[in-house]
Amino acid sequence: MWLKPEEVLLKSALQLWVLERSNRYFLLQRRRGYGEDGGGLAGLLMGTLDAVLDSTSKVAPFRILHQTPDSQVYWSIACGASREEITEHWDWLEHNVMKTLSVFDSNEDVTSFVQGKIRGLIAEEGKGSFIKEDDPEKFREAILKFEKCFGLAEQEKLVTYYSCSYWRGRMPCQGWLYLSTNFLSFYSFLLGAEIKLVISWDEISKLEKTSNVILTESIHVCSRGEDHYFSMFLHINETFLLMEQLANYAVRRLFDKETFESDPVLQDPLQITKRGLENRAHSEQFSTFFRLPKEETLQEVHECFLWVPFSHFNTLGKMCISENYICFASQDGSLCSVIIPFREVVVVEKSDPANRGVSISTKGKKAFRFTELKDFEHLVAKLRLKCGATSGPHQVPIATLEVTTTSDSDNLVDYYQGQLMAGQKDSSKTVSTEALMTVFHPQDADNLDSKMLKEKMKEQSWNILFVECGRGVSMFRTKKTRDLVVRGIPEALRGELWLLFSGAVNDMATNPGYYSDLVGKSLGTCTLATDEIERDLRRSLPEHPAFQSDTGISALRRVLTAYAYRNPKIGYCQAMNILTSVLLLYAKEEEAFWLLVAVCERMLPDYFNRRIIGALVDQAVFEELIRAHLPQLTDHMTDMTFFSSVSLSWFLTLFISVLPIESAVSVVDCFFYDGIKAILQLGLAVLDYNMDKLLACKDDAEAVTVLNRFFDSVTNKDSPLPPAVQQASNLNDTKNCHPKVDITELIRESNEKYGDIRYEDVESMRCRNRLYVIQTLEVTTKQNVLRVVSQDVTFSSSDLEELYELFKREHFLSCYWSANSSVLRHHDSSLPYLDQYQIDCQQFRVLYHLLSPWAHCANRDALALWTFRLLDENSDCLINFKEFACALDVMYNGSFTDKLKLLFKMHIPPAFTEVETLSPSKGAELSKEELIRFSQLNVSSPVDDQDADALKRSPEKGKEKIDIQAYLKQWQDELLKKEENIKNLPRMNQLQFIQFSKTLYNLFHGNPEEELLYRAIAIVTSLLLKMEEVGRRFQSPTSPAKSLASAAESSTESQKEGASQPMESRKVQSPRRNDHEWSFAFEQILASLLNEPALVRFFEKPLDVKAKIENAKISQLKARTRV
């Protein structure tokens, strides 16, 4: 590797380096302790120094120095990990540089030319290969050492590296931690003790920062039940954040395909960089905090002051700018935040140059003044360019813009409502434009009871807030806003404020007409999702009059069907109907749709997919918070899974399914303002309120009863909902002796006791627990697969588990370095357990070479191909673990007859196909392209023709419509296959028998009884030919020997003719038997081989699968890297 020229003091280096070659201008040196005189104390000391010190010497044992005559200054210009590499650089210098140097007159010119040439080579090498790092030279050195130490595939991209200590027991080992796209790797070499650790991110189940008496602060990594601790980082928070991001990236890419496919930024692992991950983390935090669309990326952050007009002071905070929004959040405790969409901006101008101020005016007659901005003039020009705003003559004076006056409030409402109605003008015939609550429960202005008076007082409080803070998307959000939300949002304002606080207002404003178009496209579609929606429509708030009529049911159907059409990966999930019905009560139909989008895709990510991973993650976070805040409860409960089972509905339905409707909407108010934090706080408050009763419970059933009675007793004394609805929600009030609990007081208590739970901490816990949840789901998948497969094989449970891990790892290894892996596309967690992980022919070949007892054959690639084709019964070019394990079980534990039958079936259609590599130099090895092409050939046989219709009728994996009868038929066929009689096997023709005999010869190679086995197979072959000759003596004048030769010639000719045709387009027919061909039945071959004791001993000899498995675990990664 060429290095940026650096000065070297040769005197101090003489004892560390040995001169190998030299000329007038260059020296080639070898590190002492490497090469011929390596080893000994010098080698140990040099190796230790190289591993610990951050220098060029730690990378490579060879280097080239540039020198000039009569000069004591030397320059390092190249290094190499091997003699071949450094020799290549030396030869290049001699052939391309030495002749040119002779033309220079001075040594300074020589040195200048050499340095420029080397820098040019580095720049040429680095084009498109390296992202600009803080120190490119050190990063290039780190890449070289990473590749040298671990030998991973060239496509494995190093993201960053850190110096740290790895703890083995109580002893720290100083070394280097390398974080790449698919692996966490550590290397240390201290006094002869080499430590090399490679952990793939998808194997990590726990990743956390810890501290104890010995380790003040360390990073704990748990993988496959083993704990690893890393400490002594210079920047441990930065390191942990990157590790967390890489682990979650791998988990999402490999396990959670549904959410990953909607995230194109991370689909190509080769594009991941340290800087990119850091920027992505900041963008995600930014968009989540301000409830912006997920596509927004944070572009700039400026520390500045914002003038708060209603408080008459400047608050310090940060201005965050993305493609479409300007956002501000204060740093003090007032929690003042503002969101300004560029679509709302009218004027951007400089104000108060002495304080470096920027003024932004919006359509809602508001102005925002930011001061103390660095380079504010450049910022103004940039903001004007983004939003197309200028400081023109239409500008309104700043004095009239700073606050929204009372006289403007009606205009604001009209403007806001006009914005919300955009895109609905042409869809009034199908889309409802009124919230269901206004239709089924209109407020009577003349009849004001005590509850309605309180409701009007709430509305007045909000109107006062609107006067102070503004109304609409750009309103100031302060502590007062939160306090009013906790008290409960008025019925008349609920839909508007839900839309605002959730960020759905932005989605709706930027997609006018989208919903009405979606309704038109989705109506009339028939899918599994629409069937489930129809089934659940009348189960959604059946006690409310709105959903006892066709108006409410139709609106609910349209919203759910439109969303299922928009997002087919989620489609429809139970609990979505309950949530959507509540949204429709207070929001117009299009608003309810965008609220549902905000909940499913941003606020509750991954909740409403097939595995409800998001809900399980938040339940794990909830358990963690219970341990921290309610330790006496966790001490009493023997099993924490109780909290998961009882709280699942809390999270999925935001307490709507367990609380009366008039109380549940207050919870939804807080959720839209505070996000999942509000649900977690309320859950803790519920458990805390019932602490004494829960501690007195003897079992889980009693605890569930306590919580159910509590929820029935929760009321909203200020709710103006109609009595019919409240009575329907509280049918058991007369039987419930539990004292009434007001929901407002419960929410206020949850904020007072647990309001210190920070948003950042919740997100961190989500990331940490996501790894645990997904690995737990993977363990469940493994247990189910092993339980099914263990019934059909004789492997021990431990061996079968090891084989499953190797099978699954091979599946993932093919996905590591390919952005569009076909295997990854087929991975689907919604499939049956057995079909979730499948491998193709290329992956099967790797495993066959590692695990098969027949992998020593010269034609092992052909054997792997034929075995794969035999197992791939449905011709989808994929096999599952059951098929893989059953084949291996026959090879290791099958009887003589079973093994012979497997070999026989591998040499007849549909498994057998003639194989000839296109590269004669490779011998019997097949390239990846050849292997895939041969595996996809459609070889027909009489058995295939009979079963063609049955295969067509078999149920297709992953399809929405499931044919139960077809599955039963498939199950019956599988049972019949287990009882397969050897008499039903097709006969083997002459070409197939020739290949079968070759395979047997190859199997015996290297066996201690090799000569005896060769003689035995020769005897069997001769015997079979004589038997066939006797049977055909009076039918054909052609002898078997001549027939054999003619068959071989015709086979060769047909292959030559077929080579000119595309292999994929040819359908290879099994040779038809005619009067001049001969064939053998399986019983004939079996009977002949049984007469030879040597053959019987060979096939019945016990084989040790454990040794193969252990070797495969060590060699699998290297084998895949070579591929």
Side-chain angles (χ1 to χ4, degrees), residues 227-262:
D227 294 313
H228 308 275
Y229 292 90
F230 303 90
S231 67
M232 301 184 188
F233 291 96
L234 187 60
H235 304 290
I236 190 167
N237 291 328
E238 173 194 302
T239 308
F240 180 75
L241 177 62
L242 283 171
M243 292 172 71
E244 197 173 55
Q245 285 182 285
L246 286 167
N248 274 284
Y249 156 75
V251 161
R252 288 173 61 193
R253 180 168 185 257
L254 301 175
F255 295 116
D256 194 10
K257 188 177 68 169
E258 291 177 12
T259 56
F260 184 86
E261 285 182 343
S262 61

mmCIF file of all heavy atoms in Angstrom, residues 227-262:
data_model
loop_
_atom_site.group_PDB
_atom_site.id
_atom_site.type_symbol
_atom_site.label_atom_id
_atom_site.label_comp_id
_atom_site.label_asym_id
_atom_site.label_seq_id
_atom_site.Cartn_x
_atom_site.Cartn_y
_atom_site.Cartn_z
ATOM 1 N N ASP A 227 -20.800 -13.563 27.005
ATOM 2 C CA ASP A 227 -20.669 -12.146 27.353
ATOM 3 C C ASP A 227 -19.269 -11.648 27.012
ATOM 4 O O ASP A 227 -18.270 -12.315 27.308
ATOM 5 C CB ASP A 227 -20.941 -11.926 28.850
ATOM 6 C CG ASP A 227 -22.380 -12.232 29.215
ATOM 7 O OD1 ASP A 227 -23.274 -11.759 28.501
ATOM 8 O OD2 ASP A 227 -22.608 -12.954 30.207
ATOM 9 N N HIS A 228 -19.218 -10.474 26.393
ATOM 10 C CA HIS A 228 -17.941 -9.845 26.031
ATOM 11 C C HIS A 228 -17.961 -8.409 26.551
ATOM 12 O O HIS A 228 -18.965 -7.699 26.396
ATOM 13 C CB HIS A 228 -17.732 -9.846 24.514
ATOM 14 C CG HIS A 228 -17.897 -11.202 23.881
ATOM 15 N ND1 HIS A 228 -16.872 -12.115 23.815
ATOM 16 C CD2 HIS A 228 -18.971 -11.797 23.292
ATOM 17 C CE1 HIS A 228 -17.303 -13.214 23.212
ATOM 18 N NE2 HIS A 228 -18.571 -13.041 22.881
ATOM 19 N N TYR A 229 -16.844 -7.978 27.140
ATOM 20 C CA TYR A 229 -16.760 -6.631 27.703
ATOM 21 C C TYR A 229 -15.583 -5.880 27.076
ATOM 22 O O TYR A 229 -14.467 -6.405 26.992
ATOM 23 C CB TYR A 229 -16.578 -6.693 29.228
ATOM 24 C CG TYR A 229 -17.787 -7.220 29.958
ATOM 25 C CD1 TYR A 229 -17.933 -8.582 30.211
ATOM 26 C CD2 TYR A 229 -18.801 -6.350 30.387
ATOM 27 C CE1 TYR A 229 -19.045 -9.074 30.874
ATOM 28 C CE2 TYR A 229 -19.922 -6.835 31.054
ATOM 29 C CZ TYR A 229 -20.039 -8.193 31.285
ATOM 30 O OH TYR A 229 -21.154 -8.673 31.932
ATOM 31 N N PHE A 230 -15.860 -4.663 26.641
ATOM 32 C CA PHE A 230 -14.846 -3.786 26.054
ATOM 33 C C PHE A 230 -14.817 -2.487 26.853
ATOM 34 O O PHE A 230 -15.876 -1.916 27.161
ATOM 35 C CB PHE A 230 -15.163 -3.484 24.590
ATOM 36 C CG PHE A 230 -15.287 -4.713 23.728
ATOM 37 C CD1 PHE A 230 -16.514 -5.346 23.561
ATOM 38 C CD2 PHE A 230 -14.178 -5.242 23.087
ATOM 39 C CE1 PHE A 230 -16.634 -6.466 22.783
ATOM 40 C CE2 PHE A 230 -14.288 -6.375 22.292
ATOM 41 C CZ PHE A 230 -15.525 -6.996 22.134
ATOM 42 N N SER A 231 -13.614 -2.014 27.176
ATOM 43 C CA SER A 231 -13.508 -0.792 27.992
ATOM 44 C C SER A 231 -12.319 0.043 27.536
ATOM 45 O O SER A 231 -11.629 -0.295 26.570
ATOM 46 C CB SER A 231 -13.365 -1.161 29.473
ATOM 47 O OG SER A 231 -12.129 -1.814 29.698
ATOM 48 N N MET A 232 -12.090 1.136 28.300
ATOM 49 C CA MET A 232 -10.970 2.048 28.052
ATOM 50 C C MET A 232 -11.068 2.706 26.687
ATOM 51 O O MET A 232 -10.087 2.781 25.934
ATOM 52 C CB MET A 232 -9.617 1.343 28.226
ATOM 53 C CG MET A 232 -9.422 0.764 29.612
ATOM 54 S SD MET A 232 -7.793 0.035 29.843
ATOM 55 C CE MET A 232 -7.974 -0.756 31.441
ATOM 56 N N PHE A 233 -12.280 3.152 26.338
ATOM 57 C CA PHE A 233 -12.477 3.912 25.107
ATOM 58 C C PHE A 233 -12.206 5.381 25.372
ATOM 59 O O PHE A 233 -12.479 5.885 26.465
ATOM 60 C CB PHE A 233 -13.915 3.762 24.608
ATOM 61 C CG PHE A 233 -14.251 2.401 24.097
ATOM 62 C CD1 PHE A 233 -14.864 1.470 24.913
ATOM 63 C CD2 PHE A 233 -13.963 2.048 22.782
ATOM 64 C CE1 PHE A 233 -15.187 0.218 24.441
ATOM 65 C CE2 PHE A 233 -14.282 0.793 22.303
ATOM 66 C CZ PHE A 233 -14.901 -0.132 23.130
ATOM 67 N N LEU A 234 -11.705 6.056 24.355
ATOM 68 C CA LEU A 234 -11.495 7.495 24.477
ATOM 69 C C LEU A 234 -12.835 8.226 24.410
ATOM 70 O O LEU A 234 -13.074 9.170 25.164
ATOM 71 C CB LEU A 234 -10.560 7.984 23.356
ATOM 72 C CG LEU A 234 -10.115 9.441 23.442
ATOM 73 C CD1 LEU A 234 -9.355 9.685 24.748
ATOM 74 C CD2 LEU A 234 -9.246 9.805 22.250
ATOM 75 N N HIS A 235 -13.715 7.780 23.528
ATOM 76 C CA HIS A 235 -15.048 8.376 23.390
ATOM 77 C C HIS A 235 -16.072 7.241 23.429
ATOM 78 O O HIS A 235 -16.540 6.781 22.385
ATOM 79 C CB HIS A 235 -15.167 9.161 22.081
ATOM 80 C CG HIS A 235 -14.133 10.225 21.917
ATOM 81 N ND1 HIS A 235 -14.118 11.378 22.673
ATOM 82 C CD2 HIS A 235 -13.055 10.303 21.081
ATOM 83 C CE1 HIS A 235 -13.092 12.124 22.311
ATOM 84 N NE2 HIS A 235 -12.423 11.494 21.352
ATOM 85 N N ILE A 236 -16.425 6.801 24.619
ATOM 86 C CA ILE A 236 -17.277 5.610 24.735
ATOM 87 C C ILE A 236 -18.692 5.858 24.235
ATOM 88 O O ILE A 236 -19.324 4.970 23.664
ATOM 89 C CB ILE A 236 -17.298 5.101 26.200
ATOM 90 C CG1 ILE A 236 -17.973 3.720 26.261
ATOM 91 C CG2 ILE A 236 -17.987 6.094 27.122
ATOM 92 C CD1 ILE A 236 -17.784 3.001 27.568
ATOM 93 N N ASN A 237 -19.208 7.071 24.403
ATOM 94 C CA ASN A 237 -20.578 7.351 23.942
ATOM 95 C C ASN A 237 -20.674 7.289 22.424
ATOM 96 O O ASN A 237 -21.626 6.739 21.863
ATOM 97 C CB ASN A 237 -21.040 8.723 24.440
ATOM 98 C CG ASN A 237 -21.252 8.745 25.936
ATOM 99 O OD1 ASN A 237 -21.630 7.735 26.532
ATOM 100 N ND2 ASN A 237 -20.997 9.881 26.566
ATOM 101 N N GLU A 238 -19.686 7.862 21.746
ATOM 102 C CA GLU A 238 -19.659 7.813 20.277
ATOM 103 C C GLU A 238 -19.549 6.375 19.791
ATOM 104 O O GLU A 238 -20.255 5.953 18.865
ATOM 105 C CB GLU A 238 -18.485 8.636 19.761
ATOM 106 C CG GLU A 238 -18.263 8.526 18.261
ATOM 107 C CD GLU A 238 -16.912 9.071 17.837
ATOM 108 O OE1 GLU A 238 -16.643 10.258 18.115
ATOM 109 O OE2 GLU A 238 -16.131 8.308 17.227
ATOM 110 N N THR A 239 -18.660 5.600 20.446
ATOM 111 C CA THR A 239 -18.481 4.195 20.060
ATOM 112 C C THR A 239 -19.766 3.413 20.236
ATOM 113 O O THR A 239 -20.186 2.659 19.350
ATOM 114 C CB THR A 239 -17.360 3.557 20.900
ATOM 115 O OG1 THR A 239 -16.185 4.365 20.834
ATOM 116 C CG2 THR A 239 -17.046 2.160 20.407
ATOM 117 N N PHE A 240 -20.400 3.589 21.403
ATOM 118 C CA PHE A 240 -21.622 2.832 21.688
ATOM 119 C C PHE A 240 -22.736 3.191 20.710
ATOM 120 O O PHE A 240 -23.481 2.312 20.250
ATOM 121 C CB PHE A 240 -22.072 3.102 23.122
ATOM 122 C CG PHE A 240 -23.323 2.370 23.499
ATOM 123 C CD1 PHE A 240 -23.294 1.010 23.755
ATOM 124 C CD2 PHE A 240 -24.537 3.033 23.598
ATOM 125 C CE1 PHE A 240 -24.447 0.320 24.090
ATOM 126 C CE2 PHE A 240 -25.696 2.362 23.933
ATOM 127 C CZ PHE A 240 -25.644 0.994 24.188
ATOM 128 N N LEU A 241 -22.872 4.471 20.377
ATOM 129 C CA LEU A 241 -23.917 4.892 19.436
ATOM 130 C C LEU A 241 -23.731 4.224 18.082
ATOM 131 O O LEU A 241 -24.692 3.721 17.476
ATOM 132 C CB LEU A 241 -23.895 6.412 19.286
ATOM 133 C CG LEU A 241 -24.895 6.996 18.286
ATOM 134 C CD1 LEU A 241 -26.319 6.706 18.705
ATOM 135 C CD2 LEU A 241 -24.686 8.500 18.120
ATOM 136 N N LEU A 242 -22.481 4.181 17.587
ATOM 137 C CA LEU A 242 -22.225 3.550 16.294
ATOM 138 C C LEU A 242 -22.476 2.043 16.347
ATOM 139 O O LEU A 242 -23.042 1.460 15.409
ATOM 140 C CB LEU A 242 -20.790 3.827 15.852
ATOM 141 C CG LEU A 242 -20.531 5.222 15.287
ATOM 142 C CD1 LEU A 242 -19.041 5.444 15.099
ATOM 143 C CD2 LEU A 242 -21.261 5.416 13.966
ATOM 144 N N MET A 243 -22.066 1.403 17.450
ATOM 145 C CA MET A 243 -22.317 -0.028 17.594
ATOM 146 C C MET A 243 -23.815 -0.309 17.615
ATOM 147 O O MET A 243 -24.298 -1.262 16.984
ATOM 148 C CB MET A 243 -21.656 -0.552 18.877
ATOM 149 C CG MET A 243 -20.143 -0.547 18.832
ATOM 150 S SD MET A 243 -19.385 -0.938 20.432
ATOM 151 C CE MET A 243 -19.776 -2.676 20.588
ATOM 152 N N GLU A 244 -24.547 0.525 18.310
ATOM 153 C CA GLU A 244 -25.996 0.371 18.402
ATOM 154 C C GLU A 244 -26.646 0.528 17.021
ATOM 155 O O GLU A 244 -27.527 -0.251 16.641
ATOM 156 C CB GLU A 244 -26.537 1.415 19.378
ATOM 157 C CG GLU A 244 -27.928 1.134 19.897
ATOM 158 C CD GLU A 244 -28.301 2.125 20.989
ATOM 159 O OE1 GLU A 244 -28.225 3.342 20.747
ATOM 160 O OE2 GLU A 244 -28.675 1.680 22.085
ATOM 161 N N GLN A 245 -26.192 1.513 16.271
ATOM 162 C CA GLN A 245 -26.750 1.733 14.938
ATOM 163 C C GLN A 245 -26.440 0.573 13.991
ATOM 164 O O GLN A 245 -27.309 0.117 13.252
ATOM 165 C CB GLN A 245 -26.203 3.034 14.357
ATOM 166 C CG GLN A 245 -26.818 4.284 14.965
ATOM 167 C CD GLN A 245 -26.267 5.535 14.303
ATOM 168 O OE1 GLN A 245 -25.142 5.939 14.548
ATOM 169 N NE2 GLN A 245 -27.061 6.129 13.443
ATOM 170 N N LEU A 246 -25.199 0.087 14.015
ATOM 171 C CA LEU A 246 -24.828 -1.010 13.130
ATOM 172 C C LEU A 246 -25.570 -2.289 13.480
ATOM 173 O O LEU A 246 -26.001 -3.036 12.599
ATOM 174 C CB LEU A 246 -23.312 -1.237 13.193
ATOM 175 C CG LEU A 246 -22.455 -0.190 12.480
ATOM 176 C CD1 LEU A 246 -20.988 -0.333 12.864
ATOM 177 C CD2 LEU A 246 -22.618 -0.308 10.965
ATOM 178 N N ALA A 247 -25.734 -2.549 14.776
ATOM 179 C CA ALA A 247 -26.465 -3.747 15.197
ATOM 180 C C ALA A 247 -27.925 -3.663 14.771
ATOM 181 O O ALA A 247 -28.493 -4.632 14.252
ATOM 182 C CB ALA A 247 -26.350 -3.927 16.706
ATOM 183 N N ASN A 248 -28.540 -2.509 14.973
ATOM 184 C CA ASN A 248 -29.937 -2.359 14.594
ATOM 185 C C ASN A 248 -30.109 -2.377 13.078
ATOM 186 O O ASN A 248 -31.109 -2.880 12.564
ATOM 187 C CB ASN A 248 -30.500 -1.058 15.175
ATOM 188 C CG ASN A 248 -31.007 -1.229 16.582
ATOM 189 O OD1 ASN A 248 -32.079 -1.775 16.813
ATOM 190 N ND2 ASN A 248 -30.215 -0.782 17.545
ATOM 191 N N TYR A 249 -29.133 -1.830 12.370
ATOM 192 C CA TYR A 249 -29.174 -1.882 10.902
ATOM 193 C C TYR A 249 -29.177 -3.335 10.427
ATOM 194 O O TYR A 249 -29.979 -3.728 9.565
ATOM 195 C CB TYR A 249 -27.982 -1.125 10.331
ATOM 196 C CG TYR A 249 -27.600 -1.562 8.941
ATOM 197 C CD1 TYR A 249 -28.366 -1.189 7.839
ATOM 198 C CD2 TYR A 249 -26.490 -2.378 8.725
ATOM 199 C CE1 TYR A 249 -28.018 -1.607 6.575
ATOM 200 C CE2 TYR A 249 -26.147 -2.795 7.465
ATOM 201 C CZ TYR A 249 -26.909 -2.414 6.392
ATOM 202 O OH TYR A 249 -26.574 -2.835 5.139
ATOM 203 N N ALA A 250 -28.265 -4.148 10.988
ATOM 204 C CA ALA A 250 -28.183 -5.554 10.573
ATOM 205 C C ALA A 250 -29.455 -6.310 10.926
ATOM 206 O O ALA A 250 -29.959 -7.114 10.136
ATOM 207 C CB ALA A 250 -26.976 -6.212 11.236
ATOM 208 N N VAL A 251 -29.985 -6.043 12.108
ATOM 209 C CA VAL A 251 -31.197 -6.728 12.548
ATOM 210 C C VAL A 251 -32.360 -6.386 11.629
ATOM 211 O O VAL A 251 -33.143 -7.249 11.220
ATOM 212 C CB VAL A 251 -31.512 -6.349 14.009
ATOM 213 C CG1 VAL A 251 -32.954 -6.653 14.357
ATOM 214 C CG2 VAL A 251 -30.584 -7.105 14.947
ATOM 215 N N ARG A 252 -32.488 -5.111 11.274
ATOM 216 C CA ARG A 252 -33.592 -4.704 10.404
ATOM 217 C C ARG A 252 -33.417 -5.280 9.005
ATOM 218 O O ARG A 252 -34.386 -5.691 8.360
ATOM 219 C CB ARG A 252 -33.666 -3.183 10.345
ATOM 220 C CG ARG A 252 -34.169 -2.554 11.637
ATOM 221 C CD ARG A 252 -34.059 -1.053 11.593
ATOM 222 N NE ARG A 252 -34.856 -0.501 10.509
ATOM 223 C CZ ARG A 252 -34.756 0.754 10.085
ATOM 224 N NH1 ARG A 252 -33.882 1.574 10.651
ATOM 225 N NH2 ARG A 252 -35.516 1.198 9.112
ATOM 226 N N ARG A 253 -32.187 -5.317 8.543
ATOM 227 C CA ARG A 253 -31.948 -5.798 7.173
ATOM 228 C C ARG A 253 -32.189 -7.292 7.047
ATOM 229 O O ARG A 253 -32.740 -7.766 6.055
ATOM 230 C CB ARG A 253 -30.511 -5.469 6.765
ATOM 231 C CG ARG A 253 -30.173 -5.934 5.361
ATOM 232 C CD ARG A 253 -28.862 -5.336 4.897
ATOM 233 N NE ARG A 253 -28.622 -5.703 3.511
ATOM 234 C CZ ARG A 253 -27.760 -6.644 3.136
ATOM 235 N NH1 ARG A 253 -27.060 -7.283 4.033
ATOM 236 N NH2 ARG A 253 -27.587 -6.923 1.859
ATOM 237 N N LEU A 254 -31.789 -8.055 8.071
ATOM 238 C CA LEU A 254 -31.826 -9.508 7.960
ATOM 239 C C LEU A 254 -33.066 -10.143 8.572
ATOM 240 O O LEU A 254 -33.502 -11.204 8.125
ATOM 241 C CB LEU A 254 -30.570 -10.108 8.613
ATOM 242 C CG LEU A 254 -29.242 -9.630 8.016
ATOM 243 C CD1 LEU A 254 -28.078 -10.186 8.808
ATOM 244 C CD2 LEU A 254 -29.126 -10.046 6.564
ATOM 245 N N PHE A 255 -33.626 -9.522 9.617
ATOM 246 C CA PHE A 255 -34.754 -10.142 10.304
ATOM 247 C C PHE A 255 -36.078 -9.441 10.047
ATOM 248 O O PHE A 255 -37.127 -10.062 10.068
ATOM 249 C CB PHE A 255 -34.520 -10.149 11.819
ATOM 250 C CG PHE A 255 -33.376 -10.998 12.259
ATOM 251 C CD1 PHE A 255 -32.269 -10.442 12.869
ATOM 252 C CD2 PHE A 255 -33.391 -12.366 12.070
ATOM 253 C CE1 PHE A 255 -31.200 -11.218 13.285
ATOM 254 C CE2 PHE A 255 -32.327 -13.157 12.476
ATOM 255 C CZ PHE A 255 -31.237 -12.577 13.085
ATOM 256 N N ASP A 256 -36.019 -8.134 9.862
ATOM 257 C CA ASP A 256 -37.256 -7.349 9.824
ATOM 258 C C ASP A 256 -37.395 -6.705 8.453
ATOM 259 O O ASP A 256 -37.347 -5.490 8.307
ATOM 260 C CB ASP A 256 -37.215 -6.291 10.938
ATOM 261 C CG ASP A 256 -38.577 -5.677 11.181
ATOM 262 O OD1 ASP A 256 -39.557 -6.202 10.634
ATOM 263 O OD2 ASP A 256 -38.649 -4.684 11.907
ATOM 264 N N LYS A 257 -37.571 -7.547 7.433
ATOM 265 C CA LYS A 257 -37.542 -7.082 6.045
ATOM 266 C C LYS A 257 -38.633 -6.057 5.748
ATOM 267 O O LYS A 257 -38.463 -5.162 4.939
ATOM 268 C CB LYS A 257 -37.683 -8.282 5.115
ATOM 269 C CG LYS A 257 -37.479 -7.950 3.652
ATOM 270 C CD LYS A 257 -37.566 -9.181 2.783
ATOM 271 C CE LYS A 257 -38.952 -9.743 2.742
ATOM 272 N NZ LYS A 257 -39.119 -10.786 1.718
ATOM 273 N N GLU A 258 -39.787 -6.168 6.447
ATOM 274 C CA GLU A 258 -40.922 -5.291 6.153
ATOM 275 C C GLU A 258 -40.551 -3.822 6.326
ATOM 276 O O GLU A 258 -40.811 -2.993 5.470
ATOM 277 C CB GLU A 258 -42.095 -5.641 7.062
ATOM 278 C CG GLU A 258 -42.716 -6.997 6.742
ATOM 279 C CD GLU A 258 -43.820 -7.336 7.709
ATOM 280 O OE1 GLU A 258 -44.238 -6.441 8.455
ATOM 281 O OE2 GLU A 258 -44.260 -8.488 7.731
ATOM 282 N N THR A 259 -39.929 -3.493 7.475
ATOM 283 C CA THR A 259 -39.593 -2.096 7.717
ATOM 284 C C THR A 259 -38.341 -1.688 6.965
ATOM 285 O O THR A 259 -38.190 -0.543 6.576
ATOM 286 C CB THR A 259 -39.380 -1.842 9.222
ATOM 287 O OG1 THR A 259 -38.366 -2.742 9.709
ATOM 288 C CG2 THR A 259 -40.653 -2.100 9.980
ATOM 289 N N PHE A 260 -37.445 -2.658 6.713
ATOM 290 C CA PHE A 260 -36.200 -2.302 6.052
ATOM 291 C C PHE A 260 -36.434 -1.914 4.597
ATOM 292 O O PHE A 260 -35.817 -0.984 4.088
ATOM 293 C CB PHE A 260 -35.221 -3.469 6.119
ATOM 294 C CG PHE A 260 -33.875 -3.139 5.541
ATOM 295 C CD1 PHE A 260 -32.921 -2.533 6.332
ATOM 296 C CD2 PHE A 260 -33.567 -3.391 4.218
ATOM 297 C CE1 PHE A 260 -31.691 -2.189 5.812
ATOM 298 C CE2 PHE A 260 -32.340 -3.061 3.691
ATOM 299 C CZ PHE A 260 -31.398 -2.461 4.500
ATOM 300 N N GLU A 261 -37.328 -2.619 3.920
ATOM 301 C CA GLU A 261 -37.545 -2.346 2.506
ATOM 302 C C GLU A 261 -38.114 -0.956 2.263
ATOM 303 O O GLU A 261 -37.985 -0.401 1.188
ATOM 304 C CB GLU A 261 -38.480 -3.409 1.911
ATOM 305 C CG GLU A 261 -37.777 -4.743 1.693
ATOM 306 C CD GLU A 261 -38.692 -5.760 1.053
ATOM 307 O OE1 GLU A 261 -39.917 -5.550 1.084
ATOM 308 O OE2 GLU A 261 -38.184 -6.765 0.541
ATOM 309 N N SER A 262 -38.755 -0.391 3.287
ATOM 310 C CA SER A 262 -39.291 0.961 3.133
ATOM 311 C C SER A 262 -38.239 2.017 3.453
ATOM 312 O O SER A 262 -38.543 3.191 3.529
ATOM 313 C CB SER A 262 -40.499 1.149 4.064
ATOM 314 O OG SER A 262 -40.105 0.983 5.419
#
